[in-house]
Amino acid sequence: MDTRTFGRRAFLGGSAVSALALAQARATAGEAGGTDETFAFEITRSDEDWRAMLSRDEYVVLRKGSTELPKSNPLWNNTAEGTYCCRGCDLTVFDSVWKVELDKGWLFFRQSVENAVLMGIDGQPPDGMAPEDERYGALIEAHCRRCGSHLGHILTVEGKTLHCINGTSLQFRPTLA
Ligand SMILES: [Zn+2]
């Protein structure tokens, strides 16, 4: 059973974290033993609503933080020009110009759209990675700033710090010629 809740995350500052979100996260983190309700996502839905709007695979990735199997989503090696939106709320989160093609089976981006992605410490390694595997240390989770849906992780891959994103979490919008 997954008992993680987004509201209890300690958000970290990052290039794409807004000052407002950061201030809210600090307020949340600073309340020793207090409530953690000071941070609210702009879009919230009941668990029932999430289940109704997402497929089962999408639900476990976006809402339970699972990681899709490599190369299971066709977007992983999509090279078309366009933007990538959060499947949970349509917020534009990545642009194809920042995509890095790596033969690993997920999407990699050098950066996100400004103020689109929040980061949190993920206590669990991605599916298939052993918790004791020190290479992964404390993982940084990337999730949508507007609806909180899990997008993927921020990892160091081949010497570069990149967003490693599930295709399941995204919708691609091709640039119209
Ligand atoms: Zn979203």
Side-chain angles (χ1 to χ4, degrees):
M1 190 174 74
D2 191 326
T3 57
R4 290 182 295 158
T5 57
F6 293 109
R8 293 176 194 280
R9 295 296 175 83
F11 294 111
L12 291 180
S15 59
V17 178
S18 75
L20 177 62
L22 200 55
Q24 287 170 323
R26 282 183 181 140
T28 302
E31 288 180 10
T35 67
D36 57 8
E37 302 306 316
T38 50
F39 181 89
F41 288 106
E42 193 178 313
I43 290 181
T44 57
R45 303 183 214 279
S46 69
D47 194 55
E48 273 181 359
D49 287 347
W50 281 116
R51 286 178 188 273
M53 72 170 275
L54 300 173
S55 71
R56 195 189 171 280
D57 285 351
E58 289 164 2
Y59 177 82
V60 295
V61 172
L62 272 77
R63 305 312 303 173
K64 295 297 175 185
S66 288
T67 299
E68 69 196 14
L69 292 172
K71 301 185 181 177
S72 65
N73 185 287
L75 290 180
W76 81 269
N77 61 353
N78 178 38
T79 56
E81 286 181 26
T83 54
Y84 293 86
C85 308
C86 169
R87 186 164 284 281
C89 73
D90 283 341
L91 180 68
T92 301
V93 282
F94 297 104
D95 192 298
S96 60
V97 296
W98 302 317
K99 199 165 183 282
V100 178
E101 299 304 324
L102 294 174
D103 187 29
K104 300 205 179 286
W106 296 282
L107 292 84
F108 292 87
F109 296 94
R110 290 194 303 275
Q111 68 182 79
S112 66
V113 170
E114 189 177 353
N115 193 26
V117 173
L118 290 178
M119 298 174 225
I121 294 173
D122 192 339
Q124 298 293 321
D127 294 353
M129 291 183 189
E132 63 275 16
D133 193 330
E134 293 177 358
R135 282 178 299 168
Y136 301 103
L139 270 178
I140 306 299
E141 184 200 2
H143 55 100
C144 174
R145 186 264 301 163
R146 188 154 68 178
C147 75
S149 289
H150 174 82
L151 301 173
H153 292 91
I154 293 169
L155 301 173
T156 302
V157 185
E158 297 176 2
K160 299 188 190 85
T161 301
L162 298 170
H163 293 75
C164 175
I165 304 298
N166 294 285
T168 305
S169 299
L170 301 172
Q171 274 188 301
F172 179 64
R173 296 232 167 87
T175 302
L176 299 175

